[in-house]
Amino acid sequence: MVIKTDLCNYTEYRIYPGHGQKFIARDGKVHFFINAKVDSLFHQRIKPVKLRWTQAWRRMNKKGKVEEGGKKKTRKAAKFQKAIVGMSLDDLKKKKAQKPELRQAREAAAKEAKARTAQKKPAAGKAAAAKGKSQAPKAPKGGGAPAGGNKKNLKGKIEPPDQSWSHVAAVLKR
């Protein structure tokens, strides 16, 4: 013989026939409580999660039932390639497929070409700078005095400023 049982809306315990209290709210929702204590707690608006003896608290704090699957497995993010600015996806795949020796040789050639262009640019820059010097000498920033100035060594003797500032001194003498 099967006995029909209800569940308490608050504690989630089984309520057997002849036990419990029904409460019907104004909106027509029916609440079935196991005893007066639970009915009182419900009307005081005390949350079942905060009471250790309720099923809601046990579920919230992972007590009781052990999950069958154990820990959930985290899924690894699928890796995929995107095109980079200035290079399509096909170009990237071709470059990856190349042997490392070929790739290194190409990169070395590219570096060498960059170095050559860098050497040519300063030469052109010096010619432009020579034209600019004839107009007016620029005063260095910071009031005209070299940043290092005369330095005292540990014995208290004054040393001349660094040789790197000699060009500044030459400009100031003019």
Side-chain angles (χ1 to χ4, degrees):
M1 183 169 110
V2 179
I3 300 172
K4 187 185 175 224
T5 57
D6 292 318
L7 277 181
C8 175
N9 283 30
Y10 194 83
T11 61
E12 299 175 33
Y13 288 160
R14 276 197 214 130
I15 303 172
Y16 289 93
H19 295 266
Q21 291 183 352
K22 262 188 187 169
F23 168 70
I24 301 169
R26 285 185 183 161
D27 61 354
K29 192 171 181 183
V30 177
H31 297 277
F32 203 48
F33 304 117
I34 196 162
N35 55 22
K37 171 185 171 181
V38 172
D39 184 33
S40 172
L41 289 168
F42 175 80
H43 285 94
Q44 291 174 48
R45 295 176 191 235
I46 294 172
K47 295 177 182 174
V49 174
K50 301 212 173 187
L51 300 171
R52 292 190 70 172
W53 53 272
T54 61
Q55 290 300 315
W57 184 91
R58 293 181 65 79
R59 187 171 43 254
M60 195 73 156
N61 292 284
K62 297 178 182 167
K63 307 290 179 193
K65 294 181 183 177
V66 179
E67 289 185 24
E68 294 167 9
K71 291 183 179 179
K72 289 183 180 179
K73 292 182 182 178
T74 54
R75 289 194 303 170
K76 287 185 180 178
K79 290 184 180 179
F80 64 95
Q81 285 188 323
K82 285 185 180 179
I84 301 173
V85 176
M87 204 179 244
S88 68
L89 190 58
D90 296 332
D91 294 340
L92 279 173
K93 287 181 180 176
K94 285 177 188 174
K95 200 164 197 177
K96 264 195 174 180
Q98 284 180 353
K99 290 185 178 176
E101 298 88 29
L102 289 173
R103 203 180 317 152
Q104 288 173 353
R106 273 200 184 155
E107 287 174 3
K111 281 184 183 177
E112 195 175 310
K114 278 187 180 179
R116 277 192 224 135
T117 55
Q119 287 175 356
K120 288 179 183 177
K121 284 185 180 179
K126 286 181 184 175
K131 291 178 185 175
K133 277 187 181 176
S134 62
Q135 293 174 356
K138 288 186 180 178
K141 293 179 183 176
N150 290 338
K151 296 180 183 176
K152 283 189 179 181
N153 64 8
L154 293 174
K155 295 178 183 174
K157 294 180 183 176
I158 297 174
E159 293 180 359
D162 293 337
Q163 297 299 325
S164 61
W165 289 97
S166 60
H167 68 282
V168 176
V171 171
L172 288 174
K173 285 180 184 176
R174 285 186 196 170

